[in-house]
């Protein structure tokens, strides 16, 4: 920046000399104003640059009139600066002015004419007029191919710009081809260690990511990073951007630990370059929060999202899309922390901003309605949840039609709420008629009359759409088969549930291989259904495999490892191998305590399951102690009147009754965690 300051002072002194020697209306004076504008533009002082360029233009118009190459250059420079100032409408007018002059002076087949088409395309792209942008970039390419042939930097630039626009038009296959053409030219011209080569690798990675070819995307982003580190070092915005995109791809590959490290790397660079109050810094906090959420470190995730929110409020105020996104992410995290009241408030804030910015018929508005519905569902307000989710579905049908992944997601979400509606049984009195009997392990005998038929129909509808959109071998198709299997499990159609879950498993093995978190969870789900079908030997084998694989993938102290030990312990208990079951369940408890501490739902669940096993072992004193542990946590988390808390009271009463009665009390069946828990 010091060099630029010196350069600007030098240019301004030259201008003073030209004004003294030649006066205002001279070509050298105009050129001096133009050069000052170039330096101010490079210093990102766009307002001053625009004034300087406009000064040069006025002189040139007076000296040469419209039809002159210097006048065209002035219009072009003004357009580039207006573009940087995000005044795209004015930028487009300036570039079109420049183009008309150049066509008149040089005709189509000239490098300056190609430059004008290119600049027009870039501005049309920013205005989201992608069809026109593509036409402009293709026009520029045809001229450059005629003038320079393939192996020229301007030809590479055209291929690159065409690829970027094709990407925005979601024509990813064509985008990848265009970007790879640009890369091949740049490698031939510049070699590996060049900023344009790095940019090509980076953008190829972006398109591969959208095509869900995450392995290739990661390789491309890492290639770009290595070049940028060599060229710029750590402390550069492009290096930060590479770390950021590597993190995004690692996240998609479910390598959350690596993703967190990459995003933290990007954050440190951005804090050093930009400080706290910058949009890129906010984005880093946001992405760190997302990774922490996936790692179930909800406290840290909430802090990161709140950090992002504070920056965005300072930079943009309330009514901005990024602010809405922060409120939404805060709500999702509060939901995971079982703070449903706060979650609902945060999600409703996001909705109000999105309604104000976008209106009803927008994908972000639909997302807000759906997320609000998820929290209302968790609060057992099923009527409101269904209304919110149906609003989301109607918007998605209007925007995307039936055959879209978001529409399929809405059908899935609605089916989940439909599972909980239409219960003819009042569990907790007049004011709790909508509370579903999902906590059946408390031993209350009732006939669960859930609307599984509607749920299954909605999920099958979602599967049909996904098969049509993506075919068999796609993550969303696998998710649909798995979800259908869960509902079939609930209606005790274990054979169909196994078939659906095994279909999901085959897709995931094909997509991810054996050692992937989704594949391993699929094995666990199959084990849950085999256990329900009383095929304990097969279930035990699967649950042992899941434990060993997760130990290999994540180590001992990981939430998924804890879930694996819990599932293994339940199966061992069902096989009446109580001693081994207790060891597995205590291992799960130890992990939960280390990861989450005492006051966490998973910790309470572990104490509860340990109590079940101690009860079966007729170690009633230990069982009461475990159930009381679970009770104290649940009172603290949920209060007295929550079904989980009621369940703990019932468990304690059951054991105390057994301890005080001489007669044999047959305990009510303590069923495995149902499919709600499995999900």
């Amino acid at each position: 920046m010091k060099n630029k300051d010196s350069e600007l002072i030098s240019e301004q002194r030259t201008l003073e000399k030209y004004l003294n020697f030649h006066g205002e209306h001279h070509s050298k004076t105009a050129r001096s104003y133009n050069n000052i504008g170039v330096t101010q533009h490079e210093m990102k002082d766009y307002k001053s640059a625009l004034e300087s360029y406009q000064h040069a233009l006025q002189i040139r118009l007076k000296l040469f009139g419209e039809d002159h190459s210097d006048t065209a250059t002035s219009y072009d420079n003004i357009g580039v600066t207006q573009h940087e100032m995000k005044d795209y409408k004015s930028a487009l007018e300036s570039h079109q002015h420049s183009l008309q002059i150049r066509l008149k002076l040089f005709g189509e087949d000239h490098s300056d004419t190609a430059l004008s088409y290119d600049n027009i395309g870039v501005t049309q792209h920013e205005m989201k007029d992608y069809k026109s942008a593509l036409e402009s970039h293709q026009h520029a390419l045809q001229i450059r191919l005629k003038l320079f042939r393939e192996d020229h930097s301007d030809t590479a630039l055209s291929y690159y710009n065409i690829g970027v626009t094709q990407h925005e038009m979601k024509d990813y296959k064509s985008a990848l081809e265009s970007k790879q053409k640009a890369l091949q030219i740049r490698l031939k011209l510049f070699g590996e260690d060049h900023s344009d080569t790095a940019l090509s690798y980076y953008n190829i990675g972006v398109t591969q990511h959208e095509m869900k070819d995450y392995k290739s995307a990661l390789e491309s982003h890492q290639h770009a990073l290595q070049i940028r580190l060599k060229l710029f070092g750590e402390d550069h915005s492009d290096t930060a951007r590479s770390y950021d995109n590597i993190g995004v791809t690692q996240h998609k590959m479910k390598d959350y630990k690596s993703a967190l490290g990459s995003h933290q790397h990007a954050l440190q660079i951005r804090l050093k370059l930009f400080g706290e109050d910058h949009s890129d810094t906010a984005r880093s906090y946001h992405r760190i929060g997302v990774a922490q959420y996936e790692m179930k470190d909800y406290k840290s995730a909430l802090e990161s999202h709140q950090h992002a929110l504070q920056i965005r409020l300072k930079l943009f105020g309330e009514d901005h899309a990024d602010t809405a996104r922060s409120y939404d992410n805060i709500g999702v995290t509060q939901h995971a922390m079982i703070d449903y009241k706060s979650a609902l408030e945060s999600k409703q804030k996001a909705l109000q901003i999105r309604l104000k910015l976008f209106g009803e018929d927008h994908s972000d508005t639909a997302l807000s309605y759906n997320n609000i519905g998820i929290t209302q569902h968790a609060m057992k307000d099923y009527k409101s949840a269904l209304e919110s989710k149906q609003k989301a579905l109607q918007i998605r049908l209007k925007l995307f039609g039936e055959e879209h992944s978001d529409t399929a997601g809405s059908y899935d979400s609605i089916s989940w709420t439909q599972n909980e509606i239409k219960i003819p049984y009042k569990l907790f009195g007049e004011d709790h008629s909508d509370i579903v009997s999902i906590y059946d392990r408390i031993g209350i005998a009732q006939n669960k009359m859930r609307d599984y038929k509607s749920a299954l129909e909605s999920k099958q509808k979602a599967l049909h759409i996904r098969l049509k959109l993506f075919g068999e071998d796609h993550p969303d198709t696998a998710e649909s088969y798995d979800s259908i299997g869960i509902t079939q499990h609930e209606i005790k159609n274990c054979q169909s549930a196994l078939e659906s879950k095994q279909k999901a498993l085959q897709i995931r093995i094909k997509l991810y291989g054996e050692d992937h978190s989704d594949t391993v969870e699929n094995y666990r789900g199959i084990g849950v259904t085999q256990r329900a079908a009383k095929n304990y030997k097969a279930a035990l084998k699967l649950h042992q495999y899941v434990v060993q694989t997760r130990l290999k993938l994540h180590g001992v102290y990981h939430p998924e490892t804890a879930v694996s030990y819990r599932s293994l312990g339940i199966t061992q208990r069902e096989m009446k191998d109580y001693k081994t079951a207790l060891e597995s369940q205590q291992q799960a408890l130890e992990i939960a305590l280390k990861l989450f501490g005492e006051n966490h739902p998973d910790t309470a669940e572990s104490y509860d399951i340990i109590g079940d096993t101690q009860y079966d072992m007729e170690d009633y004193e230990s069982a009461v102690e475990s159930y009381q542990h679970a009770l104290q946590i649940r009172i603290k988390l949920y209060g007295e009147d929550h079904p989980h808390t009621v369940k703990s009271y019932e468990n304690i009463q059951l054991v105390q009754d057994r301890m005080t009665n001489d007669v044999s009390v047959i305990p009510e069946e303590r069923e495995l965690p149902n499919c709600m828990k499995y999900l």
Side-chain angles (χ1 to χ4, degrees), residues 198 201-202 219-229 242:
Y201 278 121
Y202 173 88
E219 289 171 3
S220 297
H221 284 311
Q222 286 171 331
H223 221 131
L225 174 64
Q226 292 312 308
I227 298 168
R228 286 168 168 171
L229 284 168
S242 279

Side-chain angles (χ1 to χ4, degrees), residues 413-644:
S413 191
I414 285 169
S415 75
W416 190 247
T417 299
Q418 284 170 332
N419 275 357
E420 311 300 338
I421 296 177
K422 299 186 180 178
I423 303 172
Y425 190 97
K426 292 184 180 179
L427 184 60
F428 297 115
E430 196 68 29
D431 296 330
H432 295 83
S433 60
D434 285 338
I435 297 179
V436 68
S437 174
I438 61 172
Y439 307 103
D440 54 338
R441 288 181 66 241
I442 62 174
I444 298 176
Q446 61 176 343
N447 182 22
K448 295 183 290 181
M449 300 283 290
R450 297 180 185 172
D451 188 7
Y452 294 119
K453 185 181 176 185
S454 298
L456 198 56
E457 286 171 2
S458 295
K459 290 182 179 187
Q460 285 169 334
K461 198 168 189 179
L463 171 64
H464 175 74
I465 295 167
R466 284 167 172 163
L467 283 168
K468 198 164 183 182
L469 284 175
F470 309 127
E472 277 281 331
D473 298 333
H474 191 275
D476 290 357
T477 308
E479 187 183 328
S480 271
Y481 279 122
D482 205 28
S483 186
I484 286 167
I486 286 162
T487 300
Q488 289 165 330
H489 179 112
E490 288 286 1
I491 60 177
K492 305 196 185 303
N493 185 352
C494 291
Q495 184 59 39
S496 297
L498 276 175
E499 288 170 7
S500 298
K501 291 180 180 184
Q502 283 166 339
K503 279 185 182 177
L505 176 65
Q506 292 312 309
I507 297 168
R508 285 166 171 162
I509 289 172
K510 194 169 182 180
L511 291 176
Y512 309 131
E514 288 281 341
D515 294 339
H516 188 276
S517 57
D518 284 6
T519 310
V520 178
E521 179 60 19
N522 212 144
Y523 276 120
R524 193 184 78 85
I526 289 170
V528 169
T529 300
Q530 286 171 329
R531 186 173 60 205
K534 302 191 186 306
N535 185 0
Y536 298 127
K537 190 175 177 183
L540 181 67
K541 190 175 178 182
L542 273 184
H543 286 307
Q544 286 170 331
Y545 169 79
V546 169
V547 167
Q548 292 309 310
T549 308
R550 283 180 167 163
L551 284 169
K552 187 168 82 173
L553 288 176
H554 309 305
V556 173
Y557 296 108
H558 190 277
E560 289 184 5
T561 309
V563 171
S564 298
Y565 275 117
R566 276 206 298 271
S567 292
L568 175 61
I570 292 166
T571 300
Q572 290 163 331
R573 193 189 81 211
E574 290 292 318
M575 297 174 79
K576 303 189 187 306
D577 182 3
Y578 299 127
K579 186 183 175 186
T580 309
L582 193 60
E583 289 171 3
S584 298
Q585 290 157 2
Q586 286 170 333
Q587 181 69 55
L589 174 63
E590 183 192 330
I591 298 167
L593 284 167
K594 185 152 187 181
L595 290 176
F596 309 126
E598 185 76 17
N599 298 314
H600 190 275
D602 285 7
T603 309
E605 182 71 19
S606 280
Y607 279 122
D608 202 46
I609 291 170
I610 287 170
D612 289 348
T613 302
Q614 291 164 330
Y615 180 94
D616 288 339
M617 295 171 78
E618 299 184 3
D619 181 1
Y620 301 128
E621 285 186 11
S622 297
V624 168
E625 191 178 323
S626 297
Y627 287 142
Q628 284 174 332
H629 257 296
L631 174 65
Q632 294 310 310
I633 298 168
R634 286 165 171 168
I635 288 171
K636 196 164 183 179
L637 289 175
Y638 311 127
E640 288 280 343
D641 299 327
H642 191 278
H644 282 0

Side-chain angles (χ1 to χ4, degrees), residues 187 190-195 197-198 226-227 230-231:
L187 283 169
F190 310 130
E192 280 281 329
D193 299 333
H194 191 277
S195 58
T197 308
Q226 292 312 308
I227 298 168
K230 196 167 183 180
L231 292 176

Side-chain angles (χ1 to χ4, degrees), residues 358-369:
F358 311 128
E360 278 281 332
D361 298 333
H362 191 276
S363 57
D364 284 1
T365 309
L367 179 64
S368 274
Y369 278 122

Side-chain angles (χ1 to χ4, degrees), residues 75-89:
Y75 278 120
D76 201 45
N77 287 342
I78 286 168
V80 170
T81 304
Q82 289 165 328
H83 182 103
E84 291 292 345
M85 296 172 79
K86 302 190 187 302
D87 182 4
Y88 300 125
K89 187 181 175 185

Side-chain angles (χ1 to χ4, degrees), residues 16 123 132 556 611 615:
E16 285 174 18
T123 303
S132 299
V556 173
Y615 180 94

